[in-house]
Amino acid sequence: MARPSRRDTATGATATTRTVRRGESHDRAAGASAVPAVLDRCRALVRPALEEAVGRLHPWVSEMAAYSFGWCEVGGAPAVASGGKGVRQALAVLGAEAAGEPGRAGVAAAVAVELVHTFSLLHDDIMDGDADRRRRPTVWRAYGTGPAVLAGDALFALAVETLAAQPGGAAGVRTLSVALGDLVRGQADDLLFADRPWTGPERVRPDEYRAMAEHKTGALLGCAAALGAVLGGARPETAAALDRAGRHLGVAFQIVDDVLGIWGDPGVTGKPVHGDLRERKKTFPVLVALGSPMGGRIAALLESGAATDTAAALIEKAGGRAAAMAEARRHLAAVETSLAGAPLATEAAQDLRSLLEYLVRRDV
Amino acid sequence: MARPSRRDTATGATATTRTVRRGESHDRAAGASAVPAVLDRCRALVRPALEEAVGRLHPWVSEMAAYSFGWCEVGGAPAVASGGKGVRQALAVLGAEAAGEPGRAGVAAAVAVELVHTFSLLHDDIMDGDADRRRRPTVWRAYGTGPAVLAGDALFALAVETLAAQPGGAAGVRTLSVALGDLVRGQADDLLFADRPWTGPERVRPDEYRAMAEHKTGALLGCAAALGAVLGGARPETAAALDRAGRHLGVAFQIVDDVLGIWGDPGVTGKPVHGDLRERKKTFPVLVALGSPMGGRIAALLESGAATDTAAALIEKAGGRAAAMAEARRHLAAVETSLAGAPLATEAAQDLRSLLEYLVRRDV
């Protein structure tokens, strides 16, 4: 449920192809070692089950779902646009493999988390009033607000049904329901942050932001990584370690996204220079800088909406950028610590690490 | 998710107090034999758990939930308005008792179905653009559309979490997820019916309407009646019989509601004379009449939106009213058949029958 349009740019970014050490294992094609190939492999594994699930929906709702997955255009014609990279489904498959299961043991989990992710995008786009996603009108703009609310509800219900139908699905539903609760909590905080003052005792503190990011972005990533393992019958400690890793990843990802939203290269991010400052977003580097002695001046600049160059320079001078990068690094280290403490299958864990790195290490 | 404002008038109607044969059993106070007393008893049993669950939500979301339950006003001050009658929670408690369990075995089920019902009201009010509910602004009007979407999502997630946390919750989540899928399917059909023509091959047939009503109104009533029994470990046939009874009840209820929406006494229904005709609703009696030789003339009148007196008279003359009442009676008989075929505890089953009758037998 994080700032959706930018997140998609990020997960859809063309990464430098890095070769990752790995060998052979079940469900994996030899040589598919780079991260894009891992994403492709997981997508191919999950797609039939995801299509089958979406195909069980009411035809109208099914079309809205297929549109948001990038499978079709409005009216049902084959899609020209491409969908998301499928990061969450890949985490679910790799999580199952890392817990010693075959990748197919993670498929139901992958379907559930992709459905929940899409539900949250549909509803967040309504809440945030976002008009476009992946260079197409958002579902509420293409089909209307009411239908978009309904389609989100249908995807949510389908995710629960998918998990509940699994053997051992009770534990899976419990894992998902914790993430869902956190997702909503994070979105509520994020919506309320917009109304809080820039300075003074009511201002948003960096630690509140961190909690929001963990809930809004990290909870579903953690759930994705853990859920395949949970359904595969992994030990609770293993699932908990994967969940923790995903949550830290979410915070790191969000904060890197914040840095890119101010200082990122528009040619890479697809976003205007200082876009987040223009939109007066209370992002991590901004919140850190507001707490500095320069906070009052920065607040006045942000409030006016003008001179974003000066504001960006002041935020950097106040230590906002450096603090954000340090914070992101701390959470990446925590990802590593979480994974290192769990008894994971070496090769799958390596794929998982590569994927996590791929998501966060962008040109910042 | 049925035509929400009128349904609330209905479930909130002051019934003629009827004395129901019953004796003593666990969890029940002696003498509380009439239906309003049964509703009160169930509400008192469920309320602490429902409040506890809602209290675990994000404070802002929790306030929106409490507002929609009729517990508080906007801002959190104690409520002046009254909430719903709690029909679904009563069905869950009575369903558990009918399956031979103590009423408290139905409490988690009751909490879950009340949360799902409230979620569906919040989202349906957005989809239908309804401005008022129980003589107060709807949540989207009081708090905004985005926050109302979010609050609905939170209630949905909380319902799933509540069931998943129960021992044997997997079967409960499966039961709920079937109802949720049907709920969304029924709402989708209902939204699409509005765009279908009055006559010709694309017109809405009475059997499509029946399926819509079962999904939109019956599925959650059936789930409510079955869920307490499912969590209490009742035999699948018992739960299935309760579910069937609730579904037939939903169809009967909806069709009686349709008759009241055209010919009901405004002093009792709180709705204007011929309100449903003025709003051009494709209700059961209308659909039957449209299929008669007078269909073309009725369609022209409804399309013009004028002369609703004439339209109502023609619909009655075409057999729409009589067919609707016969259909409602068929479904009420099916409720009875469903209950009679299951091994239910006599006294609780009698309370359940009284409640079902109370909901449908209104002055039509």
Side-chain angles (χ1 to χ4, degrees), chain A residues 56-58 60 119 123 127 146 149-150 153-154 156 160-161 164 170 173-174 177 180 184-185 187-189 192, chain B residues 56-58 60 119 123 127 146 149-150 153-154 156-157 160-161 164 170 173-174 177 180 184-185 187-189 192:
Chain A
R56 279 186 283 123
L57 292 171
H58 184 287
W60 181 42
F119 137 75
H123 282 190
M127 295 180 217
V149 171
L150 184 71
D153 293 346
F156 190 162
V160 173
E161 188 190 319
V173 174
R174 274 195 296 278
S177 72
L180 285 167
V184 172
R185 185 171 287 273
Q187 175 69 358
D189 275 333
L192 290 176
Chain B
R56 279 185 282 124
L57 293 170
H58 185 286
W60 182 43
F119 137 75
H123 282 190
M127 295 179 218
V149 171
L150 184 72
D153 293 345
F156 191 163
V160 173
E161 188 190 318
V173 173
R174 273 194 298 277
S177 73
L180 286 167
V184 171
R185 183 171 289 274
Q187 174 71 357
D189 275 331
L192 290 176

Side-chain angles (χ1 to χ4, degrees), chain A residues 3-13 84-85 117 121 133-134 253:
Chain A
R3 217 144 288 123
S5 36
R6 187 135 37 76
R7 176 210 277 166
D8 275 306
T9 307
T11 52
K85 285 286 169 203
H117 176 54
L121 295 181
R133 167 173 302 283
R134 293 171 198 146
F253 182 85

Side-chain angles (χ1 to χ4, degrees), chain B residues 206-228:
Chain B
D207 59 339
E208 292 180 90
Y209 181 91
R210 203 180 290 119
M212 180 280 290
E214 183 190 324
H215 292 144
K216 185 166 161 159
T217 309
L220 191 59
L221 291 171
C223 174
L227 199 52

